[in-house]
Amino acid sequence: MGLLSDPVRRRALVRLVLRLNAPLCVLSYAAGIAWFLALAFPPLTQRTYMSENAMGSTMVEEQFAGGDRARAWARDFGAHRRKLGALPAAWLERTMRSVGLEVYTQSFSRKLPFPDETHERYMVSGTNVYGILRAPRAASTESLVLTVPCGPDSTNSQAVGLLLALAAHFRGQIYWAKDIIFLVTEHDLLGTEAWLEAYHDVNVTGMQSSPLQGRAGAIQAAVALELSSDVVTSLDVAVEGLNGQLPNLDLLNLFQTFCQKGGLLCTLQGKLQPQDWTSDGPLQGLQTLLLMVLQQASGRPHGPHGLFLRYRVEALTLRGINSFRQYKYDLVAVGKALEGMFRKLNHLLERLHQSFFFYLLPALSRFVSIGLYMPAAGFLLLVLGLKISSAPQSTCDQPPSGPSPLGLGQGWRTYDTRVRGDMQTHFFG
Amino acid sequence: MAATSYCSRAVAPLAGLLLLSFGSLATSQIEEQAEQFFRSGHTNNWAVLVCTSRFWFNYRHVANTLSVYRSVKRLGIPDSHIVLMLADDMACNPRNPKPATVFSHKNMELNVYGDDVEVDYRSYEVTVENFLRVLTGRIPPSTPRSKRLLSDDRSNILIYMTGHGGNGFLKFQDSEEITNIELADAFEQMWQKRRYNELLFIIDTCQGASMYERFYSPNIMALASSQVGEDSLSHQPDPAIGVHLMDRYTFYVLEFLEEINPASQTNMNDLFQVCPKSLCVSTPGHRTDLFQRDPKNVLITDFFGSVRKVEITTETISLQTDLGILESRDKEDWMDEELIEPLKYAEQLPVAQIIHQVCFQFILFKETSFLISEK
């Protein structure tokens, strides 16, 4: 007979567990913590690889060369924004139309739940402007989104300039099989949420927004861009979204391949990538991993991409950081990386689903899948299980009213006979 | 008088002997020519070219098939004798930066799509069922001629297949597979219905050699791009188009075929040498045990081209029984005829009887009416 079906052995096992309860709890807790810390180290980490066959191994030569136009538009945008004090929707509309996109605007407003000093309730209202580049030879069934969130000041104007330059470049190509939506939102995440809600025709946050006049099809992937200046020394990628949701790992793999191809310096959680694991790599990996866990635990969307994830749209946020480093990349390099990513995403036939949805990242090129980090959580939950198992000790004098959760201890025997009785009636009744 | 007649009688046989000797020399040359004339035994050529995979990233399979189509058409097989099955449209795919073209060499050197490509089975029509129906001829009567393989027992057929495959199967359209056993059975059906004289089967997939392992019908020669357990690799990506353009094996076969013209005497042994392991990374394989002729006597144009056998000669060829090859051919024909007999289709509808009955009734009716009218 098996270990758990043989009553004698079962009782022996139960007695062992009860006797060693405290040490087992401590051991299990320690094992969980140790396993979690070991996640950053080589045997438990794997190299990332592209799982989606459609975004395969071949690379295209990028043709983007609109750096000057991007800077000019960024300057214009910054100037208009400073003059207006809000998003210059009319200017954006005009410029997008001149580039050749179908432009629509959306106005939204939201009453913030927390009052501030001056007003009872604070009403936020704004406008989103988006332009749709229609696929020249395909039906508009799917789309990709490039979004630039604009906050209360004009810090993201370089990103707007790059977005317009990319739109102008993309408009001249004939190989798009999906529509591309170029979205500029006001008030950062509020605008993005308003747009997404209107696009998917839902209302989860109680935002009042005007309905969208133009639509493009199911969104397959989205990239959000935040650039602080027109030269960047590194590109930081953020993946954690609302409630700790993560995009498909293939999107990150895609970004990482273009980082490597373009020789860009890419960081995760603001940390540089270790080129080899022999130096202080492992400890840095552990730090990155813990930062990612903390960010996921906070539940905040760390960028507009976090809001896209709720609608099962894979999204990333790229932040260009300008620090005191010698080698700087200009807008053309960032534009080429984005062009490459969009061309590869263009090859997709289905939503990204081949790679992992739950993972932890000790580095950009290393990941830990859920199958490997679940045991750590399992060990921690085992502590609870062990504690529950020792609970009925106190009630072992009275017969239990119903079957106790695990039925160990004195109540176990009555459960045992009751079960046997039930089984008898079942089998012979 | 008697002496001259005697002389003339003596001269005549001498002259006859001389003539005979000359004639025999001449006839041996003619015999050689005649032997060459009947060497292969086929009178027409067909080609069935199948690309089984769809999606943009399988561009190279369509390019493979189109490059073989191009070679076969260039060497003389007309569109009416080619059944081209392409599972997806790469030339007009929205992702193609060069629409209406399918390139086989990078830097867009060679456009295999061209101006006069005639695709017979396109897109979702390329299924295992349609492929087997084409091969065996069990096609609904409404099928147009361009979609039929109207081969006979003197046809040499080239069958080229490419796509994704595995050990013993070839994947069609991401949803179904054809196994090597089904293929072998289809070829046996073709043999029994006398739908081919000789068959050349080329397959360019991963583990392609497994597809010809199960053949058991005579007169089949098979080539594959890789052995069981090996993957066939793609050749070169194009940085402007963004996909791999060709598979290695077919790329080198295409280069080999570009040097063939309808008059060339290159034989099959040269085709076996195409793409050694150093170029192809996989090991191409071939199978000739079911084939009756020696591969070195088989011309490339026997299968890839449609070379009409026309020999112009001013001498007379005596097709007598001492020409060994003709004798054996006769024997074969006789044996074939004997075999063909039991394969005759049964009369589904005894038309003759029905006509006879109807006519008889009609005649009776006519007679009675005549009689009636007369009265």
Side-chain angles (χ1 to χ4, degrees):
Chain A
M1 262 211 265
L3 185 65
L4 290 178
S5 50
D6 180 8
V8 174
R9 279 201 230 157
R10 200 168 39 193
R11 248 174 259 135
L13 181 67
V14 158
R15 253 181 270 131
L16 183 74
V17 163
L18 285 176
R19 200 174 66 228
L20 296 179
N21 204 326
L24 269 180
C25 282
V26 171
L27 200 64
S28 176
Y29 191 79
I33 299 290
W35 187 292
F36 189 76
L37 292 176
L39 285 176
F41 298 94
L44 289 174
T45 63
Q46 289 165 275
R47 236 178 207 291
T48 54
Y49 52 92
M50 191 70 85
S51 305
E52 175 67 55
N53 213 354
M55 301 200 299
S57 55
T58 52
M59 289 290 197
V60 287
E61 275 168 11
E62 292 95 7
Q63 315 278 334
F64 180 67
D68 298 327
R69 291 177 90 181
R71 273 189 288 275
W73 272 321
R75 260 198 316 272
D76 281 348
F77 178 77
H80 277 94
R81 191 181 171 46
R82 272 190 293 275
K83 201 166 63 177
L84 211 57
L87 193 76
W91 179 86
L92 264 176
E93 228 180 313
R94 248 191 347 261
T95 322
M96 280 190 180
R97 205 162 275 138
S98 75
V99 159
L101 309 175
E102 278 176 33
V103 191
Y104 304 97
T105 53
Q106 181 210 14
S107 59
F108 64 93
S109 66
R110 180 80 168 100
K111 215 188 284 190
L112 292 182
F114 304 110
D116 62 353
E117 307 93 55
T118 45
H119 303 98
E120 187 62 23
R121 284 274 185 270
Y122 183 52
M123 171 80 83
V124 170
S125 62
T127 331
N128 294 333
V129 182
Y130 64 105
I132 305 180
L133 167 65
R134 297 281 178 199
R137 291 176 286 145
S140 298
T141 46
E142 292 164 351
S143 55
L144 302 167
V145 176
L146 178 62
T147 175
V148 166
C150 285
D153 48 2
S154 57
T155 47
N156 220 4
S157 50
Q158 300 294 332
V160 174
L162 185 59
L163 175 132
L164 291 167
L166 276 173
H169 177 70
F170 286 177
R171 185 72 177 85
Q173 311 302 321
I174 55 170
Y175 46 68
W176 297 112
K178 301 181 204 286
D179 295 345
I180 306 186
I181 304 177
F182 296 92
L183 172 68
V184 181
T185 57
E186 195 168 4
H187 296 294
D188 271 332
L189 301 183
L190 282 173
T192 317
E193 182 60 28
W195 188 82
L196 278 170
E197 280 184 12
Y199 196 88
H200 291 98
D201 208 18
V202 291
N203 198 338
V204 282
T205 53
M207 185 105 50
Q208 286 108 29
S209 54
S210 61
L212 292 184
Q213 304 296 319
R215 221 179 157 275
I219 306 179
Q220 305 288 295
V223 177
L225 191 61
E226 291 175 14
L227 290 176
S228 49
S229 77
D230 63 338
V231 285
V232 291
T233 53
S234 62
L235 274 176
D236 191 48
V237 61
V239 288
E240 305 84 8
L242 190 64
N243 297 329
Q245 220 176 346
L246 295 170
N248 199 298
L249 189 58
D250 264 339
L251 197 57
L252 197 70
N253 296 340
L254 184 69
F255 171 67
Q256 210 247 330
T257 20
F258 283 99
C259 274
Q260 273 181 335
K261 180 166 191 257
L264 296 171
L265 189 66
C266 295
T267 61
L268 182 68
Q269 314 292 344
K271 301 236 174 292
L272 295 172
Q273 297 312 298
Q275 295 309 313
D276 51 345
W277 284 105
T278 53
S279 54
D280 57 4
L283 228 50
Q284 196 176 356
L286 184 59
Q287 220 176 354
T288 318
L289 189 97
L290 289 174
L291 273 173
M292 181 174 172
V293 170
L294 281 173
Q295 293 207 328
Q296 272 191 286
S298 73
R300 288 173 38 227
H302 292 272
H305 71 284
L307 300 172
F308 279 88
L309 291 174
R310 203 215 302 246
Y311 302 93
R312 203 61 262 164
V313 173
E314 316 304 335
L316 280 181
T317 300
L318 301 180
R319 290 196 182 94
I321 297 177
N322 193 4
S323 66
F324 300 102
R325 200 172 274 279
Q326 209 170 7
Y327 197 78
K328 297 191 191 281
Y329 306 97
D330 63 343
L331 286 178
V332 176
V334 180
K336 280 194 175 166
L338 282 170
E339 181 194 355
M341 280 177 77
F342 271 82
R343 266 200 93 165
K344 279 260 173 212
L345 287 170
N346 186 34
H347 287 186
L348 282 178
L349 296 143
E350 314 160 293
R351 291 176 180 278
L352 286 168
H353 65 283
Q354 302 277 6
S355 191
F356 298 92
F357 287 102
F358 297 98
Y359 48 88
L360 291 175
L361 297 169
L364 256 188
S365 56
R366 298 264 188 325
F367 75 101
V368 185
S369 74
I370 187 169
L372 289 173
Y373 72 67
M374 255 326 172
F379 277 124
L380 294 176
L381 288 175
L382 188 61
V383 173
L384 290 177
L386 288 170
K387 280 296 171 198
I388 291 171
S389 70
S390 62
Q393 289 284 4
S394 55
T395 60
C396 70
D397 295 333
Q398 315 102 357
S401 46
S404 43
L406 277 173
L408 300 174
Q410 189 69 269
W412 171 251
R413 264 183 243 123
T414 43
Y415 182 71
D416 203 30
T417 50
R418 197 182 327 222
V419 165
R420 235 184 276 133
D422 281 342
M423 273 175 56
Q424 278 174 352
T425 47
H426 257 282
F427 277 70
F428 305 116
Chain B
M1 205 60 68
T4 49
S5 63
Y6 180 73
C7 271
S8 65
R9 243 183 284 135
V11 160
L14 252 177
L17 256 173
L18 274 170
L19 270 171
L20 201 64
S21 62
F22 274 132
S24 66
L25 269 174
T27 44
S28 65
Q29 214 181 28
I30 298 301
E31 283 169 21
E32 234 180 71
Q33 273 186 332
E35 196 177 305
Q36 271 188 10
F37 193 86
F38 290 110
R39 198 195 320 198
S40 66
H42 73 280
T43 58
N44 55 73
N45 286 84
W46 284 81
V48 179
L49 311 174
V50 186
C51 159
T52 59
S53 40
R54 51 173 40 244
F55 305 140
W56 173 245
F57 53 88
N58 289 322
Y59 184 100
R60 60 189 188 278
H61 297 135
V62 173
N64 287 351
T65 318
L66 283 174
S67 55
V68 176
Y69 172 82
R70 172 206 152 76
S71 308
V72 143
K73 221 167 140 172
R74 194 175 52 81
L75 291 172
I77 304 185
D79 271 318
S80 54
H81 282 227
I82 303 178
V83 178
L84 178 62
M85 304 171 87
L86 294 181
D88 202 0
D89 179 14
M90 294 308 164
C92 299
N93 194 309
R95 294 171 182 82
N96 193 347
K98 311 266 178 258
T101 59
V102 173
F103 291 107
S104 61
H105 289 60
K106 71 173 176 192
N107 301 323
M108 292 159 295
E109 283 168 20
L110 183 58
N111 173 16
V112 288
Y113 197 65
D115 288 329
D116 54 352
V117 165
E118 205 178 278
V119 183
D120 301 306
Y121 285 84
R122 64 190 69 221
S123 186
Y124 289 108
E125 293 170 356
V126 178
T127 56
V128 174
E129 181 188 344
N130 281 349
F131 175 61
L132 292 176
R133 280 184 187 281
V134 162
L135 286 184
T136 54
R138 297 176 195 279
I139 274 186
S142 55
T143 320
R145 269 186 86 93
S146 58
K147 288 184 163 178
R148 292 175 188 253
L149 179 66
L150 298 165
S151 56
D152 53 26
D153 65 323
R154 287 278 152 253
S155 307
N156 274 12
I157 307 184
L158 165 72
I159 297 185
Y160 175 84
M161 301 184 78
T162 182
H164 289 288
N167 191 354
F169 67 91
L170 172 62
K171 182 173 80 156
F172 264 71
Q173 298 246 24
D174 217 27
S175 60
E176 51 182 2
E177 294 142 8
I178 187 172
T179 56
N180 47 8
I181 300 172
E182 284 174 3
L183 198 56
D185 286 341
F187 287 163
E188 177 63 16
Q189 284 190 53
M190 287 174 80
W191 174 251
Q192 290 191 4
K193 291 168 78 164
R194 294 293 174 271
R195 283 170 68 78
Y196 69 89
N197 174 38
E198 283 167 347
L199 203 126
L200 177 64
F201 175 76
I202 306 183
I203 184 158
D204 188 352
T205 62
C206 301
Q207 309 195 46
S210 61
M211 287 306 282
Y212 62 62
E213 275 172 5
R214 300 291 196 132
F215 292 165
Y216 54 96
S217 319
N219 287 352
I220 300 184
M221 191 186 316
L223 280 112
S225 60
S226 56
Q227 302 294 326
V228 175
E230 285 180 350
D231 286 339
S232 282
L233 299 177
S234 50
H235 185 61
Q236 41 180 302
D238 185 298
I241 301 182
V243 283
H244 285 280
L245 294 182
M246 282 274 269
D247 279 329
R248 280 174 190 253
Y249 182 71
T250 312
F251 182 80
Y252 291 109
V253 166
L254 173 65
E255 284 199 345
F256 173 79
L257 288 174
E258 288 288 303
E259 290 161 24
I260 309 277
N261 54 55
S264 67
Q265 300 291 310
T266 333
N267 55 40
M268 278 295 163
N269 276 342
D270 299 326
L271 187 59
F272 296 157
Q273 307 304 322
V274 160
C275 210
K277 196 173 163 93
S278 57
L279 285 173
C280 253
V281 186
S282 57
T283 321
H286 56 268
R287 181 179 177 180
T288 51
D289 56 319
L290 295 165
F291 205 73
Q292 284 174 10
R293 294 191 283 152
D294 192 349
K296 73 170 191 299
N297 293 332
V298 181
L299 299 178
I300 299 283
T301 48
D302 280 350
F303 288 101
F304 284 90
S306 182
V307 178
R308 297 280 173 220
K309 295 254 177 354
V310 176
E311 292 273 356
I312 301 178
T313 172
T314 48
E315 295 108 352
T316 27
I317 302 172
S318 61
L319 302 175
Q320 287 170 359
T321 50
D322 57 338
L323 272 175
I325 198 160
L326 281 175
E327 208 177 62
S328 60
R329 177 130 327 266
D330 283 339
K331 272 211 208 114
E332 275 174 29
D333 282 339
W334 177 72
M335 277 184 340
D336 285 353
E337 273 172 25
E338 208 184 45
L339 281 167
I340 281 170
E341 279 285 357
L343 292 177
K344 203 174 72 142
Y345 284 120
E347 288 270 7
Q348 302 271 329
L349 198 61
V351 177
Q353 289 173 16
I354 287 175
I355 288 177
H356 181 69
Q357 280 175 1
V358 165
C359 281
F360 188 68
Q361 283 171 5
F362 182 66
I363 287 166
L364 269 177
F365 184 67
K366 259 203 101 154
E367 280 184 17
T368 48
S369 64
F370 188 75
L371 282 166
I372 292 167
S373 63
E374 249 195 328
K375 279 191 186 151

